[in-house]
Amino acid sequence: MKKIISFAFLLLTLISCSTKRDIVYFQDIKDKPETKVIYTQNNIQINDILSIIVSATNPNSALPFNKMFYNVGTEKAMNLNGYMVNTDGNISLPILGNIQVLGKTTSEVEDLIKKTLIEQGQLTNPTVSVIVTNAKITILGDIGSPGTYPYLEQNVTLLQAIGYAGDLSMTGKRNDILIIREENGKRTYGHIDMRKTDWFNSEYYYIKQNDIIYVYPNGPKVHSAGYITNYNGLISAFFTGLSLYLLLTK
């Protein structure tokens, strides 16, 4: 009987524990040489809000090409002062009219607006600044603080995004982080193994606006969520049955 009880304890311990191999990030990092960091620029998407500021040597000459600035909370002010990309991929600027921006980078839009201003004889030597003000990511699943997180940086890594949400829970599945991405009218799905570093050079190293990141719960967490497969219930049922057996066999 003692052997049965010892075996039961060992079995329950094994099925409810995670190993170091399941938990630790970047397990192959010691084998990696020094690599060059390649920064990227995200492409503008439908529903992006662009803050566009036009300036010139004579400040008054640039005023007609800028929106009135609303004196409200910072994030809301930036969005109110911005231009939303419509479903046709256009923004509508004062005097210049519709400008096609879908799929372009902010640098390309800056060059396009500057070129248009010069070609139309509006300004001689303008300076144009463009940023996306409503960039955000949504992080769901078995993570510290699920939610939607705004950001203004041009380059935010997947690691930083996970840091925003308080890191994966200990029961979060490291070997299959799902990234859902909509870009250029297509939806793609990336699967990242955080235990390795081979994805550092992939298209998913840097996040893009509107990415959805989902962290799957690991096996024990999934099992513990059910009624029939709840480990606490199984343990309780096991010891209840064992107690009855001992009473009946005395």
Side-chain angles (χ1 to χ4, degrees):
M1 181 56 65
K2 289 183 177 180
K3 289 183 178 180
I4 295 175
I5 295 174
S6 298
F7 176 76
F9 273 118
L10 177 61
L11 180 61
L12 290 171
T13 300
L14 288 175
I15 63 176
S16 62
C17 293
S18 297
T19 66
K20 179 179 179 181
R21 187 175 181 277
D22 297 323
I23 299 297
V24 177
Y25 296 157
F26 321 134
Q27 295 173 31
D28 60 350
I29 196 75
K30 63 181 180 180
D31 302 322
K32 298 294 180 180
E34 181 179 295
T35 56
K36 182 179 180 181
V37 177
I38 300 175
Y39 296 101
T40 64
Q41 288 198 60
N42 293 339
N43 296 328
I44 291 169
Q45 303 177 15
I46 291 171
N47 290 330
D48 280 353
I49 298 177
L50 307 183
S51 169
I52 301 176
I53 300 176
V54 178
S55 57
T57 305
N58 179 3
N60 290 330
S61 65
L63 288 178
F65 303 99
N66 291 289
K67 274 192 172 183
M68 179 188 303
F69 284 88
Y70 294 92
N71 187 20
V72 292
T74 305
E75 183 180 344
K76 187 175 181 180
M78 294 181 72
N79 290 336
L80 286 173
N81 291 319
Y83 302 87
M84 179 174 286
V85 182
N86 64 25
T87 54
D88 294 323
N90 297 324
I91 56 173
S92 181
L93 297 180
I95 302 175
L96 300 182
N98 287 338
I99 301 289
Q100 175 66 220
V101 298
L102 182 64
K104 293 181 171 61
T105 66
T106 54
S107 295
E108 290 171 339
V109 175
E110 289 171 351
D111 293 338
L112 176 60
I113 294 173
K114 183 177 179 179
K115 180 181 178 182
T116 303
L117 288 166
I118 294 173
E119 288 180 347
Q120 291 188 8
Q122 303 290 348
L123 296 172
T124 303
N125 189 25
T127 299
V128 180
S129 174
V130 177
I131 62 171
V132 179
T133 64
N134 67 331
K136 58 188 178 297
I137 50 170
T138 299
I139 308 177
L140 303 172
D142 203 357
I143 198 161
S145 300
T148 298
Y149 294 85
Y151 65 94
L152 286 175
E153 296 94 326
Q154 179 65 50
N155 287 276
V156 175
T157 68
L158 175 59
L159 296 174
Q160 289 173 301
I162 289 174
Y164 292 161
D167 200 5
L168 277 65
S169 302
M170 290 302 292
T171 53
K173 197 173 182 181
R174 267 76 170 151
N175 65 343
D176 189 13
I177 306 297
L178 174 64
I179 302 175
I180 304 172
R181 176 170 294 170
E182 294 185 6
E183 189 176 28
N184 299 326
K186 296 181 180 179
R187 185 179 293 112
T188 60
Y189 306 91
H191 295 270
I192 300 299
D193 187 346
M194 298 291 291
R195 302 171 307 171
K196 301 178 181 179
T197 58
D198 54 0
W199 59 275
F200 279 16
N201 295 319
S202 78
E203 60 185 316
Y204 294 105
Y205 181 72
Y206 290 109
I207 62 170
K208 294 182 180 293
Q209 63 269 41
N210 305 317
D211 277 358
I212 297 175
I213 301 168
Y214 180 72
V215 180
Y216 292 100
N218 64 15
K221 179 68 175 291
V222 172
H223 289 311
S224 69
Y227 290 100
I228 296 176
T229 56
N230 187 296
Y231 284 136
N232 292 329
L234 287 174
I235 294 171
S236 177
F238 172 78
F239 283 107
T240 299
L242 182 60
S243 298
L244 288 173
Y245 173 79
L246 293 174
L247 287 171
L248 295 173
T249 54
K250 278 186 176 180

